[in-house]
Amino acid sequence: MTTWREIRSFSPAVRLLLVNQLGVNTGFYLLIPYLAVHLSRDLGMSAAAVGTVLGVRNLSQQGLFILGGSAADRLGARGVIITGCALRTLGFGLFALGDGTAVLLAASVLSGLAGALFNPAVRAYLAQEAGERKAEAFALFNVFATTGALVGPLLGSALLLVDFRAAALTAAGLFALLTVAQALMLPAGQVAPAKESVLADWREVVGNRAFMAFALAMVAMIALESQLYLLLPEGARRATGWDGAAGPVLVVATLAGLGLQLPITRALQRRGSRAGWISCGLALMAAAFVPPLLVTSGPGTDPGDLPGTALRMVPVLAGALLLQTGLMVAQPFVMELVPAFGRSRLTGTYFGVFYVVSGIAAALGNAAVGWAMDTGARMGAGWLPWACCTGLGLASAAAVARLHRTGALPVASAPLPVRA
């Protein structure tokens, strides 16, 4: 079945959520990658002030995922998604129109809170709407998200030829369109009245030891995925001596995600266990850091030596491809398993807690990799960050495998027969 036919086989609500994710990632990557440069170069803010503005946005989003998940469970995912898109419209609009510290901090808080609302809500809605086809739905979700992550920076680069405000207003306008689309077209689901308090819901989810063990075991997935934007681009620049070497790394990973995500998920869900494939995907992500280690731990090459540059680029690109492949293997089945740990009424809360843990893991992981990069450069041990990433991935893979062997993981829905 082609990707287009696969998309059409889902309900209109699922199709709208896929388009919504395309728009969300396009708007986000259109603006956020260029925000630090705007704050420092255009507004003349100090590095400390820039770090504060960016840190507030990250903290507002990562720390409040649980609120978005609980709101989706109690108020309905539809309303939370609409509210989140509306708040991001306002936040990005403030980035365009404001240049004072107070306004920029307000924009950061609103933008982060928006993500904390709609990210778990969208996944909860998608999981419930897709039924037994969760893995396929989340595979398509990843395809649309990856497309947005590719289109956004390209569009942002073009708009920055005008100025930053043009990019910010375009991003705000895109989220305004998404807000209207969800309000007009996304069906409202029935929300069962809650008998317990929000705190009781949180205690139930956090007290689910199997789920928390799984969430902690999965810390490598998000932490290693973020190395597509940190360690691998830096490794490519070091190996080749070419400042633009990060571009091919991201292109290879993105094109692999677009072309292979759905075929991989559909092939794997017909055989083996979900937990087994998650563990395998994490192992592949761990292995992704071995090829680049071979060409980045020694001295770089002369960028004028084109054959040598191309040759040293190959292991880094192989690492990017392995990392993306491991993510494609694991992520849809992770998203399928998360709501299976508990009651369907708490789907949003489970996703919220999972992403709080993932966000903390990504922050700590990037900090640890940065420390390993600095320490390795200072001590002449260029292999150190790569070895750390490989060790983290293998530890997560082993942890998931152990949870599976001990029967701690739920059994996901059986795959449906493959349609021609």
Side-chain angles (χ1 to χ4, degrees):
M1 179 183 290
T2 64
T3 300
W4 176 245
R5 290 178 62 193
E6 187 79 19
I7 294 169
R8 292 186 62 187
S9 70
F10 282 99
S11 68
V14 170
R15 297 200 295 267
L16 179 59
L17 292 176
L18 297 178
V19 174
N20 179 72
Q21 191 60 27
L22 170 64
V24 164
N25 272 21
T26 299
F28 181 87
Y29 287 102
L30 186 160
L31 179 68
I32 295 301
Y34 309 105
L35 180 58
V37 174
H38 167 66
L39 296 177
S40 59
R41 185 187 63 192
D42 300 338
L43 301 184
M45 296 178 68
S46 67
V50 172
T52 299
V53 171
L54 298 181
V56 165
R57 194 207 68 80
N58 285 328
L59 181 62
S60 299
Q61 179 161 320
Q62 304 294 350
L64 298 178
F65 271 131
I66 190 171
L67 295 181
S70 292
D73 290 335
R74 290 176 170 265
L75 305 176
R78 176 182 180 273
V80 178
I81 293 169
I82 295 170
T83 301
C85 287
L87 286 177
R88 185 153 282 181
T89 301
L90 181 58
F92 280 7
L94 287 177
F95 277 130
L97 303 176
D99 53 11
T101 301
V103 174
L104 293 171
L105 287 174
S108 294
V109 171
L110 288 173
S111 301
L113 176 60
L117 289 176
F118 63 65
N119 274 323
V122 165
R123 286 159 177 80
Y125 197 124
L126 189 65
Q128 292 168 345
E129 185 71 20
E132 293 183 337
R133 300 178 63 195
K134 291 182 182 67
E136 294 170 81
F138 278 110
L140 284 171
F141 189 80
N142 287 348
V143 170
F144 277 76
T146 301
T147 303
L150 175 64
V151 172
L154 297 177
L155 182 57
S157 297
L159 289 168
L160 285 172
L161 296 176
V162 181
D163 62 14
F164 176 83
R165 285 176 171 79
L169 288 173
T170 300
L174 182 55
F175 276 98
L177 289 176
L178 293 176
T179 303
V180 174
Q182 310 304 313
L184 293 178
M185 301 171 61
L186 190 63
Q190 293 184 344
V191 182
K195 298 179 181 179
E196 302 87 3
S197 67
V198 172
L199 289 178
D201 289 348
W202 293 356
R203 283 196 297 268
E204 178 178 335
V205 175
V206 175
N208 187 329
R209 289 188 291 181
F211 168 70
M212 292 304 295
F214 178 70
L216 291 171
M218 290 307 305
V219 296
M221 187 177 76
I222 304 299
L224 296 187
E225 179 188 8
S226 65
Q227 301 316 310
L228 275 172
Y229 307 97
L230 177 62
L231 183 56
L232 281 166
E234 178 58 30
R237 285 190 290 267
R238 177 174 177 78
T240 63
W242 175 36
D243 288 340
V249 171
L250 297 176
V251 168
V252 164
T254 300
L255 293 180
L258 292 177
L260 300 176
Q261 175 67 82
L262 189 59
I264 285 175
T265 301
R266 294 185 68 235
L268 297 183
Q269 69 176 349
R270 299 197 296 264
R271 55 182 67 87
S273 67
R274 284 2 186 207
W277 290 125
I278 292 170
S279 185
C280 179
L282 290 168
L284 283 174
M285 295 179 77
F289 295 91
V290 175
L293 182 152
L294 303 176
V295 294
T296 59
S297 56
T301 188
D302 179 2
D305 178 13
L306 294 182
T309 296
L311 187 62
R312 290 172 67 86
M313 190 71 181
V314 170
V316 184
L317 295 179
L321 183 58
L322 271 175
L323 185 63
Q324 186 67 29
T325 301
L327 188 66
M328 289 187 288
V329 169
Q331 194 171 55
F333 298 130
V334 172
M335 296 295 100
E336 184 183 29
L337 276 184
V338 167
F341 277 95
R343 295 182 289 149
S344 61
R345 196 190 69 76
L346 294 180
T347 295
T349 306
Y350 273 95
F351 274 114
V353 171
F354 183 83
Y355 275 101
V356 167
V357 174
S358 298
I360 294 172
L364 294 177
N366 278 333
V369 170
W371 171 85
M373 292 168 68
D374 291 340
T375 302
R378 188 170 60 251
M379 299 176 60
W383 52 267
L384 183 60
W386 307 95
C388 289
C389 288
T390 297
L392 178 60
L394 291 176
S396 276
V400 173
R402 176 176 172 77
L403 290 173
H404 179 51
R405 285 196 306 271
T406 58
L409 301 182
V411 179
S413 304
L416 296 179
V418 178
R419 294 171 296 279

